[in-house]
Amino acid sequence: MTTREAAINAATSYFDAGEFKADLTESVAVRTSSREEEHQGDLMRYLDKLMRSRFEAMGFTVEIHPNPLLDRARFLVAKRVEDPKLPTLFCYGHGDTVPGEEGQWNEDRDPWSLSVAHEASGERWYGRGTADNKAQHVINMEAMRRVINTRGRLGYNVTFLIEMAEEMGSPGLAEFCAANREMLSADLLIASDGPRFSTDGPDIKLGTRGGLNLRFRLEYREGGHHSGNWGGLLANPAIVLMHALTTLVSRTGEVLHPGLKPTHIKNSVRDALSKVTVKSGPDDPKIDPWWGEPGLSGAEKVFGWNTFEVLSFITGDPEKPQNAVPPFAEAICQIRFVVDTDPDTFLPLIRQHLKDQGFDRITVEPARMSMLRASRLDPEHPAVAWAVKSMESTTGKNVTVIPNAGGSLPNDVFLNIIGMPTIWVPHSYTGCSQHAPNEHVLPFLMKEGLEMMTGLFWDLGDGFPASESIKPF
């Protein structure tokens, strides 16, 4: 039986038989923490052993390419060409993770072993990289495999890119894609990362906010000095740095400098977000309605506006505090931004602002190797309505269209550098604890994701959505 229903049934059977869980277990076991140099071998093993064999079994040719900026984090490009005259689908995933944070997980769980827990809220699968991003690209690969096995072909060509430094800001990806634009050119991107807006129904996102990490540092002297003898005489860098940051962001989370946020939200984006209600799920933290830009809805705050966060703040020795005025203070901060602002202006603007405010001794430098830029596909692009129709046909649920995700991904590379419409179909959820101990996925979302992606990849074989020139939106 070579029907859409048969392919989806094959995906369901693959999940119910425990095969997906086994594949995910194998993926999680590779310690692909890209920020730790000692895992260089693991990053390569994930590509050259695990991913290569899976792609080759699906009829793909596989090449591993050097990263022009970070040698330990290479790029895997898998291609399946059924006919050069057919349109090409582009898929993406990242196999790297944040550090495992061993010893900090509940029940003393090993972050590099998939573990199952049956809790009051339902079954959970724990492991580093489950939600971000191993389960998500495994879902898409295995959904595609079910279409190939059922139909005998896809009916289009595929280029699949796996990178290993997304958790560091994707250094080298833009340069690699720009230099290999012809090899990577495609008619449509369908990829998965990040959380669903709600576990009740699927959504698609058409882009992402950008992310810029900055290191603020103030150092007055070498070594600490007794706070009894010198307190009140020596300037405390922690106090000065805290006051400097409050000139950029208010005590209620409002970005204060106009150059660090949009002037307005476009009507088309505001209209799309008017259909989105942000609320906490059973396992999510309670939303603080008083926090953030005043006058905006929750959806507008997280999908349509810029935010300024203090990710960490250190002074002295937090583990062994001394009765001493500390010599330095340092904060790692982050600006999440939408396409309506120019991130290249942020760093010089902040430096000048601090100088004008009398904080000229504070240094501000990028805290990551590269910056993920914001991007957004026009919600009226034909691929959007096509994807919604396919997903609703499979799930029987309404699909929410969100102009861009609140988080950051290298979508601008695919949309603006290579030049293709971009559709992101997330399979995780907001309470998944990605980037933290106890990262996990919900099995029922994994199963629905497999079925949904199988339907999407099947429908592409019946005809790509109408093409249209790509314009940054």
Side-chain angles (χ1 to χ4, degrees):
M1 183 169 59
T2 58
T3 64
R4 185 182 194 272
E5 181 181 6
I8 294 174
N9 287 341
T12 303
S13 297
Y14 160 72
F15 185 90
D16 290 344
E19 295 176 80
F20 173 79
K21 181 183 174 185
D23 286 340
L24 181 57
T25 298
E26 187 179 27
S27 298
V28 169
V30 186
R31 304 185 178 208
T32 52
S33 171
S34 58
R35 300 178 190 173
E36 300 169 305
E37 293 187 18
E38 62 266 30
H39 290 296
Q40 177 173 350
D42 294 310
L43 300 182
M44 190 63 182
R45 184 158 63 93
Y46 190 83
L47 296 181
D48 199 34
K49 303 297 182 183
L50 198 60
M51 292 292 102
R52 179 188 289 276
S53 62
R54 292 183 184 181
F55 278 118
E56 289 178 344
M58 295 165 61
F60 283 74
T61 59
V62 177
E63 292 185 353
I64 296 176
H65 299 265
N67 185 321
L69 297 185
L70 189 65
D71 183 63
R72 72 174 180 270
R74 302 191 176 192
F75 301 107
L76 180 146
V77 177
K79 296 180 76 73
R80 178 185 167 99
V81 180
E82 295 188 354
D83 185 338
K85 297 178 181 178
L86 291 173
T88 298
L89 172 69
F90 190 97
C91 295
Y92 162 86
H94 68 90
D96 69 311
T97 70
V98 298
E101 299 179 290
E102 291 87 344
Q104 299 182 44
W105 293 54
N106 292 345
E107 309 295 329
D108 198 29
R109 294 188 177 94
D110 175 9
W112 306 108
S113 299
L114 192 75
S115 59
V116 177
H118 298 276
E119 303 177 4
S121 58
E123 186 175 321
R124 293 179 173 185
W125 295 354
Y126 287 90
R128 176 59 82 220
T130 48
D132 191 16
N133 169 259
K134 292 177 178 179
Q136 305 219 37
H137 62 256
V138 170
I139 283 174
N140 294 356
M141 291 169 64
E142 294 304 324
M144 190 172 289
R145 190 194 302 270
R146 268 70 216 169
V147 175
I148 294 171
N149 291 347
T150 303
R151 188 181 250 162
R153 59 183 175 85
L154 289 170
Y156 48 90
N157 307 315
V158 180
T159 297
F160 215 121
L161 172 67
I162 303 287
E163 74 153 317
M164 301 303 291
E166 192 272 345
E167 298 296 359
M168 297 179 66
S170 297
L173 179 64
E175 292 80 0
F176 174 74
C177 290
N180 296 280
R181 188 180 286 108
E182 183 176 350
M183 176 183 72
L184 301 173
S185 65
D187 299 278
L188 174 67
L189 174 142
I190 297 180
S192 301
D193 203 337
R196 281 186 178 194
F197 167 69
S198 169
T199 57
D200 295 334
D203 64 59
I204 63 172
K205 298 180 177 73
L206 311 180
T208 64
R209 287 198 296 183
L212 173 63
N213 284 28
L214 297 170
R215 185 186 306 275
F216 291 71
R217 185 174 177 89
L218 178 58
E219 188 165 357
Y220 279 140
R221 59 193 70 88
E222 290 187 13
H225 293 269
H226 194 284
S227 56
N229 298 333
W230 293 98
L233 299 175
L234 297 182
N236 188 311
I239 294 173
V240 175
L241 182 55
M242 285 189 289
H243 280 277
L245 292 175
T246 60
T247 69
L248 294 169
V249 60
S250 77
R251 61 181 293 178
T252 58
E254 177 185 358
V255 178
L256 296 176
H257 198 297
L260 299 179
K261 58 185 178 181
T263 58
H264 66 286
I265 297 176
K266 293 180 179 179
N267 290 336
S268 56
V269 174
R270 178 158 271 158
D271 179 63
L273 294 179
S274 68
K275 303 176 179 66
V276 178
T277 301
V278 175
K279 58 183 180 180
S280 297
D283 300 309
D284 296 334
K286 183 180 179 181
I287 292 172
D288 298 310
W290 51 270
W291 185 261
E293 185 73 17
L296 299 185
S297 69
E300 290 168 343
K301 289 177 182 179
V302 74
F303 301 126
W305 206 250
N306 293 6
T307 59
F308 187 103
E309 304 290 348
V310 177
L311 305 183
S312 69
F313 195 107
I314 185 172
T315 190
D317 185 346
E319 298 300 322
K320 298 177 181 179
Q322 302 295 328
N323 293 323
V325 178
F328 79 95
E330 183 174 286
I332 304 297
C333 299
Q334 182 184 71
I335 303 174
R336 295 278 186 177
F337 56 91
V338 294
V339 296
D340 310 295
T341 49
D342 180 3
D344 292 327
T345 66
F346 292 165
L347 185 54
L349 183 153
I350 290 172
R351 286 171 173 164
Q352 185 60 50
H353 168 78
L354 293 178
K355 183 178 179 180
D356 293 343
Q357 295 291 317
F359 299 112
D360 50 299
R361 293 192 60 173
I362 297 174
T363 61
V364 189
E365 301 292 343
R368 299 178 78 173
M369 288 186 65
S370 62
M371 170 176 58
L372 293 172
R373 292 182 175 270
S375 59
R376 188 190 294 145
L377 179 70
D378 190 331
E380 296 183 354
H381 190 281
V384 178
W386 169 85
V388 168
K389 180 180 179 182
S390 173
M391 293 163 63
E392 290 184 342
S393 174
T394 301
T395 64
K397 300 176 181 178
N398 291 331
V399 174
T400 302
V401 176
I402 298 175
N404 55 258
S408 300
L409 286 165
N411 187 68
D412 71 292
V413 173
F414 311 126
L415 179 66
N416 298 326
I417 294 179
I418 301 178
M420 65 185 84
T422 53
I423 301 291
W424 293 83
V425 185
H427 305 312
S428 183
Y429 81 115
T430 55
C432 67
S433 297
Q434 68 183 83
H435 291 195
N438 307 311
E439 179 181 353
H440 64 278
V441 291
L442 303 180
F444 80 91
L445 291 185
M446 302 296 97
K447 183 175 181 178
E448 186 171 76
L450 271 166
E451 295 167 343
M452 194 163 52
M453 299 309 294
T454 302
L456 272 170
F457 294 148
W458 182 279
D459 291 342
L460 273 180
D462 292 334
F464 263 55
S467 62
E468 184 177 282
S469 61
I470 305 304
K471 301 174 184 177
F473 184 68

